[in-house]
Amino acid sequence: MRVICVRVKFHPIVFITLLLFTFAATVAGGLILQLSLVVVFLSFSAFIKRRRAFWKKMLTFGIPLALVLVILNDFILTSIKPEYMEQGVHYALRFLTLLTCLLTIVHVTTPTQFALGLRSLKLPHRLNHIFLLSFEVFDSFRTIAQNVSTAQQLRGFRIRKNIFSRTKNLFPLFFPVVFSALSMSLDRGIAFDLKGIESPVSKTYLLEWKPTALDKFLSAFLLVLSFLVIVF
Amino acid sequence: MLEHFSFQYPFTHNPALNDISFRLLPGKTLGIIGPSASGKTSLLYAIAGILQKHFPAGITSGTIARDGTQPVVNPSEIGFVFQDPYMQLSGVTETVETEIAFSLEQLAIPQHIIRARIDEQISQFQLGHLALRHPRSLSGGETRLLALACETAKHPRWLLLDQPTESLHSEGIRFLTTLLNALKLTTNIIMVDHRLEVIAAVCGRVLFLHHGEQQFFGTPPELFTSAIDTNELDIPLWIDAQRQLTGRAETLLYRKSLRMLQQWH
């Protein structure tokens, strides 16, 4: 039997520490650090995707999202005044930094590889179970959303026009899609149960993906960096 | 073995299963038939112990036993193939081989046995050409075979199949029928299907459900000669034609058909 080809260069432990570092940077870092991180993550994602459409999509979604976040944060800060604008930008940037970090991770790995790496960390089975099922929820959500939108389009429902009409047209489909996905996830939970995922015995793994020396070094480096960002 | 078993799902007004009673002797295979929403899948869930575990608020009455005890979800003892095989894929494996290994890994089966079982299943189900394909890239029929291979790899005592012939072409159905006839020598099979010719070829006993109620329990030839209303069932064309022509199961050709059915199992 051939061992599957692992396309990802880094073990999930590196991505987990990268998320930790990003979180530390958003909490303790300044505007320049956060802006730099957003640019780095976006450039990295664009480099991986190698498509101009990626930038177009990011700008289409990113700019309205940033504006909404700034306004929303001002609103949360009770009044829209110039002195609160900087704080609003700061909060919005925190969200965008974490979002772009997650985007980068999503682009460089797959749920399968992430799960494969996580289980080598000897995490509790229940945690792995939750992790696997949560991916299944997203997968079900995506499948159902695609099916529903295709079916609705065939019946004459106009979904693809521009971003605003698309959002407006997709709104009525939101609840059926969510409830169908949740129902499907319950069935998948039963299927997982019958596969013995909740079995209390310690599992045996056919393939294991252990962190390499480089993975360990990078994780340690990011941990130290997170600590330094928080302290200084 | 079920005795006056009934079950009603929470937040519903009518029972999904109503007063079901039958006893399946060891080594006999059971085919459950009936129109849509007649309680076939619910009965499979009850036998697997899923109803009792995942719908604890449901109303149960009567008794149900598997191997003499109350059924519980025991993955090493039960292989269950769902109506939608895509639902059964783990979603975290990248090849057909590792998908087969997934259930075995959960049961802590040693690595060398897992490898042997993968080879065994791939050869038995003729999945060699698909072994390194991603499970999500398979067709409906191939995924169904993979789901069945994953469950039989556990070497379960009970194999519960919910419409295993759905989305299979005629050659695939013939292959599956031969496979199930081989599997039933070592495993107790209970299957739900709409294709009576497959049920007749695999199962020694048939249970006919309608609106959650038991209409018939007996052998396939007994079903075809019985007076029960089978209009909603896909009776094989050659038997149905005879029934239409004669109105009674007494012609020479009809008796010959019954002998053929008996020879199949």
Side-chain angles (χ1 to χ4, degrees):
Chain A
M1 203 191 80
R2 265 172 53 186
V3 173
I4 57 162
C5 169
V6 179
R7 288 188 297 270
V8 178
K9 301 285 185 293
F10 303 114
H11 192 271
I13 189 82
V14 179
F15 299 128
I16 291 169
T17 46
L18 178 68
L19 258 179
L20 200 72
F21 164 68
T22 313
F23 188 71
T26 53
V27 172
L31 276 175
I32 293 169
L33 177 65
Q34 289 186 56
L35 260 176
S36 318
L37 281 176
V38 169
V39 171
V40 167
F41 288 139
L42 279 180
S43 307
F44 192 64
S45 295
F47 172 72
I48 291 162
K49 297 297 276 184
R50 290 173 199 276
R51 281 183 202 152
R52 195 180 290 173
F54 173 79
W55 282 106
K56 198 177 157 190
K57 200 180 273 183
M58 283 315 297
L59 291 175
T60 319
F61 281 98
I63 291 171
L65 181 69
L67 282 173
V68 166
L69 284 170
V70 170
I71 293 164
L72 207 64
N73 279 313
D74 283 348
F75 186 69
I76 289 164
L77 295 169
T78 65
S79 58
I80 302 175
K81 287 179 183 171
E83 59 262 36
Y84 290 128
M85 281 303 278
E86 192 190 332
Q87 217 167 340
V89 169
H90 202 86
Y91 284 137
L93 208 53
R94 276 182 184 175
F95 183 77
L96 281 179
T97 315
L98 277 170
L99 195 71
T100 48
C101 177
L102 280 171
L103 194 75
T104 310
I105 292 170
V106 166
H107 280 156
V108 295
T109 187
T110 64
T112 314
Q113 290 162 357
F114 209 80
L116 193 67
L118 272 188
R119 67 187 193 180
S120 69
L121 298 176
K122 308 286 179 205
L123 293 171
H125 300 312
R126 195 163 282 273
L127 203 67
N128 266 347
H129 188 181
I130 291 166
F131 177 75
L132 296 180
L133 271 179
S134 54
F135 267 121
E136 287 301 304
V137 172
F138 286 117
D139 193 46
S140 311
F141 189 87
R142 189 176 56 83
T143 312
I144 293 167
Q146 270 176 359
N147 291 344
V148 169
S149 68
T150 310
Q152 296 303 325
Q153 281 178 81
L154 286 170
R155 293 162 75 183
F157 202 75
R158 291 195 71 183
I159 289 174
R160 293 172 193 279
K161 202 175 172 187
N162 59 48
I163 186 171
F164 298 107
S165 66
R166 197 175 170 177
T167 312
K168 196 184 87 185
N169 290 341
L170 278 172
F171 188 73
L173 306 179
F174 181 74
F175 289 104
V177 166
V178 169
F179 284 114
S180 305
L182 287 175
S183 158
M184 196 187 257
S185 300
L186 173 71
D187 292 340
R188 285 199 170 174
I190 294 173
F192 269 30
D193 191 11
L194 283 163
K195 278 183 181 289
I197 205 156
E198 281 195 344
S199 156
V201 292
S202 59
K203 320 286 180 190
T204 48
Y205 295 123
L206 188 65
L207 302 169
E208 279 197 272
W209 181 21
K210 290 189 172 151
T212 60
L214 179 66
D215 291 327
K216 284 177 187 168
F217 170 76
L218 277 173
S219 310
F221 177 71
L222 284 167
L223 274 178
V224 171
L225 218 57
S226 313
F227 178 75
L228 290 176
V229 166
I230 291 168
V231 171
F232 298 106
Chain B
M1 187 268 287
L2 285 89
E3 266 181 28
H4 306 292
F5 181 76
S6 301
F7 182 83
Q8 188 173 335
Y9 284 101
F11 311 114
T12 57
H13 299 294
N14 298 316
L17 296 168
N18 193 7
D19 198 22
I20 310 287
S21 298
F22 67 86
R23 178 185 285 270
L24 190 66
L25 296 171
K28 287 284 178 197
T29 47
L30 174 67
I32 304 170
I33 54 170
S36 298
S38 57
K40 303 183 296 293
T41 303
S42 296
L43 183 57
L44 275 190
Y45 276 12
I47 295 166
I50 295 169
L51 280 188
Q52 299 83 333
K53 183 176 178 184
H54 291 275
F55 302 93
I59 303 163
T60 311
S61 65
T63 55
I64 179 167
R66 194 181 69 222
D67 293 329
T69 55
Q70 179 84 8
V72 286
V73 176
N74 185 348
S76 59
E77 200 177 88
I78 284 184
F80 197 109
V81 178
F82 285 79
Q83 192 177 347
D84 178 7
Y86 290 101
M87 202 176 67
Q88 221 163 331
L89 299 179
S90 67
V92 292
T93 57
E94 291 201 320
T95 62
V96 164
E97 288 179 333
T98 46
E99 183 64 35
I100 295 173
F102 184 80
S103 303
L104 305 176
E105 290 174 335
Q106 308 311 314
L107 301 175
I109 290 170
Q111 267 192 5
H112 67 279
I113 298 178
I114 294 181
R115 285 181 195 283
R117 295 256 182 106
I118 291 170
D119 292 340
E120 175 193 280
Q121 294 306 307
I122 284 192
S123 131
Q124 192 174 16
F125 285 82
Q126 298 178 3
L127 296 170
H129 61 296
L130 306 171
L132 298 175
R133 285 258 304 271
H134 196 287
R136 298 262 184 217
S137 72
L138 305 182
S139 71
E142 289 166 344
T143 310
R144 193 164 290 282
L145 281 182
L146 173 61
L148 187 56
C150 291
E151 293 305 297
T152 53
K154 297 191 290 186
H155 289 184
R157 255 182 67 74
W158 292 86
L159 192 57
L160 310 179
L161 313 170
D162 196 353
Q163 300 195 19
T165 60
E166 204 180 272
S167 73
L168 288 182
H169 53 86
S170 53
E171 199 182 319
I173 293 170
R174 271 198 296 277
F175 174 68
L176 186 76
T177 308
T178 315
L179 203 66
L180 291 177
N181 273 321
L183 283 169
K184 75 180 183 186
L185 301 174
T186 52
T187 314
N188 299 304
I189 297 176
I190 299 181
M191 63 187 280
V192 165
D193 213 286
H194 286 295
R195 291 174 199 273
L196 275 180
E197 65 270 28
V198 177
I199 294 276
V202 175
C203 303
R205 293 286 181 274
V206 183
L207 176 71
F208 175 30
L209 294 179
H210 193 260
H211 291 306
E213 288 179 2
Q214 180 175 333
Q215 303 288 322
F216 173 85
F217 178 73
T219 63
E222 282 168 1
L223 173 75
F224 297 136
T225 51
S226 69
I228 60 161
D229 180 16
T230 51
N231 281 340
E232 290 182 77
L233 296 175
D234 293 330
I235 296 279
L237 200 61
W238 47 281
I239 287 185
D240 199 36
Q242 276 302 307
R243 290 177 69 149
Q244 298 280 336
L245 283 171
T246 62
R248 286 170 356 122
E250 286 179 2
T251 64
L252 188 65
L253 185 60
Y254 195 78
R255 281 196 221 114
K256 195 179 169 188
S257 309
L258 289 183
R259 272 205 301 278
M260 280 170 68
L261 269 177
Q262 281 159 347
Q263 278 165 9
W264 276 350
H265 47 89

